[in-house]
């Protein structure tokens, strides 16, 4: 693996064609036709998912084009964004929402601005979502629709576009989100058969022009996701584990957490939507503190895993919100 990390992105030699991505892109194009949309985004390969402002297309990340790169992504980031068929299709539909907005300049419409806000609003570095909000659909993780008006539209479009559309029933009790979905439904019926005014196939940051090495790429990405947390876990850890001398024969909490680390990380990521790399950094600190406090894992392993996972989720959410540092990958 170290040798691979020295390879420059432009030298990877991967493409969408004949890769794992190709049938997903083909499915996306069929879904657009099934919804009577003549628009077809142009798609290229780059470092990550993104749709540049004003471009009726989007980039997909290089690692999805080869199994070895998928394994590298997982080893470096502990997760593969878009690495399953379901998640990949979710993101493809989301990025298509951006592309169709750019292609038809939908953000210039008065009704669009009334429902979603101003597209010219500056993208935040961090945002603090309201998990209880019923004004936004829930599609990608971390309540992404709440991060920016453009993301709100892309998420709404993606929910509308999903096969076996049941969004009316799903969002019946969410009047704000339902109003946006109804608008998208009307809007797509209006523009579906029209050629968009923006048709330029501009490609931004194509993979074959990026001189960054894989090692540099992952160092930069890890720095974005690993945040600093205050090392004040004692009270929470003592609620779950014991330092009573009577339990000195029980397994150490350190060994317990190391054994269940992956399961706990995946559980909390699934519940909270937080990135596994962020969770793993907090877990490392907690494991160190358990060793310093000489804590023991006493009781049912299953219950201990559940209790610890809940505590980790609450801790991460509390710290992120108190610091207004809920990270979003734009």
């Amino acid at each position: 693996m170290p040798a691979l990390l020295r390879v420059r992105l432009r030298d990877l030699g991967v493409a969408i064609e004949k890769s794992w991505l190709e049938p997903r892109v083909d499915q996306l194009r069929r879904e657009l036709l099934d919804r009577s949309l003549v628009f077809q985004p142009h798609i290229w390969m780059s470092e990550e998912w993104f749709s540049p402002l004003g471009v009726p297309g989007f980039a997909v990340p290089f690692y999805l084009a080869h199994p070895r790169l998928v394994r590298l992504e997982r080893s470096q980031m502990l997760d593969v964004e878009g690495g399953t068929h379901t998640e990949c299709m979710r993101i493809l539909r989301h990025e298509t929402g951006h592309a169709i907005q750019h292609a038809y300049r939908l953000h210039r419409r008065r009704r669009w601005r009334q429902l979603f806000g101003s597209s010219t609003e500056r993208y935040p570095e961090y945002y603090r979502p309201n998990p209880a909000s019923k004004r936004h659909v829930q599609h990608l993780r971390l309540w992404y629709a709440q991060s920016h008006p453009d993301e709100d539209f892309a998420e709404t479009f993606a929910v509308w576009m999903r096969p076996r559309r049941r969004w009316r029933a799903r969002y019946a009790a969410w009047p704000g989100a339902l109003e946006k979905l109804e608008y998208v439904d009307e809007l797509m019926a209006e523009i579906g058969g029209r050629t968009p005014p923006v048709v330029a196939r501009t490609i931004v940051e194509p993979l074959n022009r990026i001189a960054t090495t894989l090692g540099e790429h992952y160092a930069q990405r890890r720095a974005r996701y690993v945040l600093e947390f205050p090392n004040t876990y004692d009270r929470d850890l003592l609620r779950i584990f014991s330092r009573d001398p009577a339990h000195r024969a029980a397994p150490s909490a350190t060994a317990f957490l190391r054994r269940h680390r992956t399961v706990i990380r995946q559980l909390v990521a699934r519940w909270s939507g937080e990135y596994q790399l962020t969770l793993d950094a907090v877990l490392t600190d907690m494991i160190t503190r358990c060793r310093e406090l000489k804590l023991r894992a006493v009781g049912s392993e299953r219950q201990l895993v559940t209790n610890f996972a809940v505590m980790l989720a609450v801790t991460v959410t509390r710290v992120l919100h108190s610091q207004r540092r809920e990270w979003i990958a734009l």
Side-chain angles (χ1 to χ4, degrees):
M1 203 65 80
L4 182 57
L5 290 173
R6 292 194 291 271
V7 176
R8 294 177 297 184
L9 296 182
R10 70 186 185 191
D11 296 329
L12 288 173
V14 294
I16 295 173
E17 293 73 20
K18 298 182 180 179
S19 74
W20 180 85
L21 273 168
E22 187 173 32
R24 279 84 202 168
V25 170
D26 290 343
Q27 178 177 330
L28 176 75
R29 299 196 185 285
R30 288 195 302 271
E31 289 181 5
L32 288 166
L33 293 174
D34 288 345
R35 282 150 187 72
S36 301
L37 298 175
V38 298
F39 172 72
Q40 293 285 332
H42 69 287
I43 304 171
W44 67 96
M45 193 158 285
S46 187
E47 282 192 86
E48 57 187 347
W49 300 96
F50 67 92
S51 180
L53 182 65
V55 175
F58 57 88
V60 295
F62 65 90
Y63 57 79
L64 292 177
H66 195 282
R68 190 179 179 193
L69 294 174
V70 169
R71 291 194 296 271
L72 179 65
E73 175 78 8
R74 193 178 303 280
S75 71
Q76 295 291 314
M77 302 302 294
L78 305 179
D79 200 358
V80 180
E81 190 171 33
T84 66
H85 174 80
T86 298
E87 187 180 24
C88 186
M89 293 310 305
R90 281 177 178 268
I91 302 175
L92 286 171
R93 295 181 192 115
H94 171 95
E95 297 299 344
T96 300
H98 286 307
I100 204 167
Q101 174 193 332
H102 301 156
Y104 291 90
R105 299 171 178 153
L106 301 177
H107 47 279
R108 297 184 180 182
R109 296 179 173 233
R110 180 182 300 177
R111 182 62 174 156
W112 195 100
R113 295 196 301 270
Q114 289 174 342
L115 288 174
F116 299 103
S118 173
S119 182
T120 59
E121 179 181 313
R122 186 174 180 178
Y123 261 86
E125 185 176 2
Y126 305 106
Y127 69 101
R128 188 177 184 180
N130 174 14
S133 172
K134 294 188 176 182
R135 296 182 57 249
H136 306 82
V137 298
Q138 291 185 6
H139 181 66
L140 298 181
R141 57 180 152 187
L142 294 175
W143 303 278
Y144 200 41
Q146 299 183 41
S147 64
H148 188 271
D150 286 358
E151 303 303 341
D152 192 5
F153 173 78
E155 287 286 82
T156 304
F157 175 86
V159 169
W160 172 85
M161 188 178 166
R162 288 183 64 183
R164 298 182 298 279
R165 291 174 286 175
R166 296 170 182 159
W167 49 264
R168 285 189 175 87
R170 167 69 177 84
Y171 290 96
W174 296 40
L178 185 61
E179 185 178 14
K180 293 173 184 175
L181 284 162
E182 295 283 7
Y183 171 70
V184 169
D185 192 50
E186 296 169 6
L187 190 57
M188 294 304 116
E190 175 192 336
I191 68 173
R194 299 181 188 173
T195 301
V198 181
V199 295
R201 300 178 69 83
T202 306
I203 295 178
V204 178
E205 297 180 12
L207 192 67
N208 60 10
R209 295 183 186 174
I210 301 176
T212 306
T213 67
L214 284 166
E216 293 166 342
H217 165 81
Y218 283 114
Q220 293 166 6
R221 287 186 62 199
R222 285 195 299 272
R224 287 164 53 187
Y225 291 110
V226 178
L227 309 179
E228 290 189 9
F229 287 75
N231 193 359
T232 54
Y233 310 120
D234 293 13
R235 184 177 63 177
D236 291 332
L237 291 173
L238 287 166
R239 288 175 178 170
I240 298 172
F241 303 117
S242 173
R243 60 176 173 180
D244 187 331
H247 296 139
R248 60 179 175 272
S252 71
T254 300
F256 171 84
L257 289 177
R258 284 175 176 163
R259 186 165 65 252
H260 296 285
R261 183 177 193 148
T262 300
V263 171
I264 290 170
R265 194 177 63 221
Q266 291 174 346
L267 278 173
V268 178
R270 191 179 308 129
W271 293 343
S272 68
E274 189 51 66
Y275 293 95
Q276 289 197 48
L277 199 67
T278 303
L279 297 172
D280 199 65
V282 183
L283 267 168
T284 297
D285 288 344
M286 288 185 170
I287 289 171
T288 299
R289 191 56 184 152
C290 284
R291 184 175 63 250
E292 293 168 349
L293 294 173
K294 300 179 180 179
L295 299 181
R296 297 286 169 175
V298 180
S300 161
E301 284 204 0
R302 183 176 181 180
Q303 190 60 53
L304 285 172
V305 167
T306 300
N307 291 345
F308 186 86
V310 171
M311 184 270 283
L312 177 60
V314 170
T315 299
V316 171
T317 302
R318 182 177 65 235
V319 172
L320 286 172
H321 282 200
S322 66
Q323 295 181 355
R324 301 185 66 86
R325 287 175 62 90
E326 186 85 23
W327 179 260
I328 53 175
L330 301 178

